[in-house]
């Protein structure tokens, strides 16, 4: 039997529980041995134990100090990510970290330096790369079958907005929402972004403006390979979770639509009826979460590179900062302006 990778999880909120459940139930060569969360309650501790996780604590040292643990999943709040990466690297543990690594570039570089010095693996949780639809678009473009990319389009709209308590501390739409799409355009185009021009407005709730944020945004982008791109985001799409990508190339175009609740199409004299898009990210990307977890564990077992590395974690943050600067100053911003 293949040796299992022993894992400690930091953070047992919504995303942490998702990873814990997947690792315990859907990743055969993974074993979650400890979970730590400063807000851990009895209910969550019992839930973990029901999945076979014996050690639960409010102290992250049960993870960092456990010599049997091979890898750490960092699913805690964003402001803890970089420090936890550094601690995990010092402890010689491989690292999976949810996005973003941090909202401060100096902290990100400090974390990446610690990873390189320790010689451990770091994978960043940009889950959309592992979605069957978006991966197909990437694979077709990367194969060269359609020639060079000309236009890259990403549409990402949530079915409902986050609570204002989250908006207040999130870092804004570019860092907490569109950051996934900044990663996606790099992934689909096979090229780095060089310039961003952002537009934003408040259309669904005036309270966004209180926190210097917007709920509706468009970014136009330039790439090193000469392609151009556009991303549109809305925090509220009443018809459901809208996740579409497209790349137009020399010899054709590849695009994907939404996953629907079902594929039935009902046609009558009154019109054509189809199901709504799958409701939200936990439903839409559930299989993708499992795939990214398996790929991370496989990279440890086989000694191979992780599919989404520290550089991939850094670049979307830089793009997001350029977008924020563009929106504030009303002009295109080159990534070289962000330090």
């Amino acid at each position: 039997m293949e040796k299992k990778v022993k894992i400690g999880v930091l953070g047992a909120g919504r995303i942490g529980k998702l990873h814990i459940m997947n690792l315990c139930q859907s990743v055969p060569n993974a074993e979650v041995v400890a979970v730590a969360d400063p807000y851990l309650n009895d209910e969550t501790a019992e839930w973990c134990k029901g999945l076979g996780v014996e050690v639960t604590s409010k102290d992250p040292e049960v993870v960092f100090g456990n010599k049997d643990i091979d890898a750490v999943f960092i699913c805690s709040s964003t402001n803890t990510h970089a420090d936890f990466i550094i601690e995990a690297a010092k402890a010689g543990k491989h690292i999976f970290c949810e996005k973003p690594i941090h909202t401060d570039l100096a902290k990100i570089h400090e974390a990446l330096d610690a990873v390189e010095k320790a010689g451990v693996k770091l994978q960043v949780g940009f889950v959309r790369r592992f979605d069957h639809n978006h991966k197909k678009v990437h694979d077709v473009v990367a194969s060269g079958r359609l020639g060079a990319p000309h236009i890259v389009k990403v549409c990402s709209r949530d079915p409902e907005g986050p609570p204002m308590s989250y908006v207040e501390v999130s870092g804004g739409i570019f860092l907490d929402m569109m950051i996934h799409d900044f990663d996606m355009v790099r992934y689909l185009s096979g090229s780095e972004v060089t310039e961003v021009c952002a537009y934003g407005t408040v259309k669904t709730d005036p309270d966004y403006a209180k926190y210097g944020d917007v709920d509706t945004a468009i970014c136009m982008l330039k790439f090193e390979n000469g392609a151009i791109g556009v991303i549109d985001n809305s925090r509220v799409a009443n018809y459901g979770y809208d996740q579409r990508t497209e790349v137009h190339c020399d010899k054709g175009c590849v695009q994907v639509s939404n996953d629907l609740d079902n594929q039935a199409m009902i046609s009558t004299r009154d019109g054509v009826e189809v199901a709504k898009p799958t409701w939200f990210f936990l439903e839409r990307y559930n299989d993708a979460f499992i795939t990214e977890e398996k790929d991370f564990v496989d990279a440890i077992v086989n000694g191979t590179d992780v599919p989404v590395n520290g550089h991939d974690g850094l670049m979307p943050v830089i793009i997001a900062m350029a977008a924020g600067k563009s929106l504030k100053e009303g002009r295109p911003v080159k990534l070289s302006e962000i330090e």
Side-chain angles (χ1 to χ4, degrees):
M1 180 180 293
E2 193 171 45
K3 178 182 179 294
K4 288 195 173 184
V5 175
K6 295 185 183 296
I7 294 171
V9 179
L10 300 170
R14 179 171 64 173
I15 197 67
K17 284 182 176 178
L18 176 71
H19 283 302
I20 293 166
M21 183 172 64
N22 286 344
L23 289 166
C24 290
Q25 297 181 344
S26 302
V27 184
N29 53 346
E31 179 184 355
V32 180
V33 299
V35 172
D37 189 312
Y39 304 104
L40 189 78
N41 56 34
D42 292 342
E43 181 182 356
T44 300
E46 286 302 311
W47 178 83
C48 290
K49 285 180 171 31
L51 289 169
V53 182
E54 294 300 324
V55 179
T56 59
S57 175
K58 293 183 178 181
D59 185 357
E61 188 57 27
V62 303
V63 172
F64 296 131
N66 187 331
K67 294 181 179 179
D68 291 332
I69 289 178
D70 305 301
V72 176
F73 267 65
I74 300 173
C75 309
S76 49
S77 57
T78 296
N79 63 321
T80 67
H81 287 183
D83 288 335
F84 280 166
I85 288 173
I86 293 167
E87 287 299 313
K90 287 180 179 177
K93 303 185 188 306
H94 301 295
I95 304 154
F96 179 99
C97 183
E98 274 298 336
K99 62 82 191 169
I101 295 174
H102 205 275
T103 56
D104 180 87
L105 289 182
K107 290 293 293 185
I108 295 175
H109 286 297
E110 183 182 357
L112 297 185
D113 288 345
V115 168
E116 183 176 4
K117 182 178 179 180
V120 296
K121 298 181 187 297
L122 168 64
Q123 180 170 325
V124 182
F126 282 116
V127 69
R128 296 180 190 178
R129 290 186 180 219
F130 301 86
D131 170 72
H132 59 289
N133 284 335
H134 304 320
K135 185 177 185 301
K136 182 64 175 179
V137 174
H138 165 270
D139 291 351
V140 169
V141 175
S143 74
R145 173 183 170 187
L146 299 181
H150 296 183
I151 299 172
V152 181
K153 289 185 177 181
V154 175
C155 171
S156 181
R157 303 169 189 165
D158 287 354
E160 55 189 18
M164 286 299 150
S165 59
Y166 173 80
V167 173
E168 184 178 6
V169 298
S170 72
I173 194 170
F174 300 124
L175 275 167
D176 79 67
M177 182 177 176
M178 198 179 287
I179 192 166
H180 276 291
D181 307 306
F182 293 141
D183 175 68
M184 188 55 49
V185 295
R186 294 180 62 247
Y187 176 63
L188 298 180
S189 68
S191 181
E192 296 291 0
V193 174
T194 60
E195 184 176 293
V196 181
C197 187
Y199 299 89
T201 187
V202 176
K203 300 297 291 183
T204 67
D205 188 331
D207 283 349
Y208 284 102
K210 293 181 181 179
Y211 303 110
D213 200 5
V214 297
D215 55 30
T216 307
I218 288 177
C219 277
M220 295 182 293
L221 312 108
K222 292 182 179 180
F223 298 87
E224 283 183 356
N225 63 4
I228 55 176
V230 61
I231 300 169
D232 84 68
N233 273 188
S234 173
R235 290 195 186 272
V236 182
N238 290 315
Y239 54 87
Y241 195 38
D242 197 347
Q243 298 282 290
R244 290 172 283 145
T245 55
E246 173 187 313
V247 182
H248 170 60
C249 304
D250 287 328
K251 302 175 184 177
C253 180
V254 54
Q255 56 189 196
V256 293
S257 298
N258 292 303
D259 277 359
L260 306 180
D261 287 339
N262 64 74
Q263 296 297 318
M265 178 183 293
I266 304 170
S267 302
T268 69
R269 65 186 298 169
D270 299 319
V272 178
E273 177 185 333
V274 296
K276 286 185 177 182
T278 304
W279 179 243
F280 208 9
F281 77 95
L282 292 180
E283 296 84 4
R284 173 67 176 82
Y285 291 119
N286 185 59
D287 289 343
F289 278 109
I290 294 171
T291 301
E292 73 170 354
E293 294 152 358
K294 286 182 176 178
D295 284 2
F296 172 66
V297 173
D298 286 347
I300 295 172
V301 171
N302 299 319
T304 54
D305 292 337
V306 294
V308 189
N309 60 30
H311 178 73
D312 295 321
L314 169 66
M315 293 310 299
V317 176
I318 295 176
I319 301 170
M321 289 179 172
K325 185 177 181 68
S326 173
L327 181 64
K328 181 179 179 180
E329 299 181 5
R331 65 176 180 89
V333 172
K334 296 183 182 299
L335 263 64
S336 58
E337 298 180 47
I338 305 301
E339 299 178 355

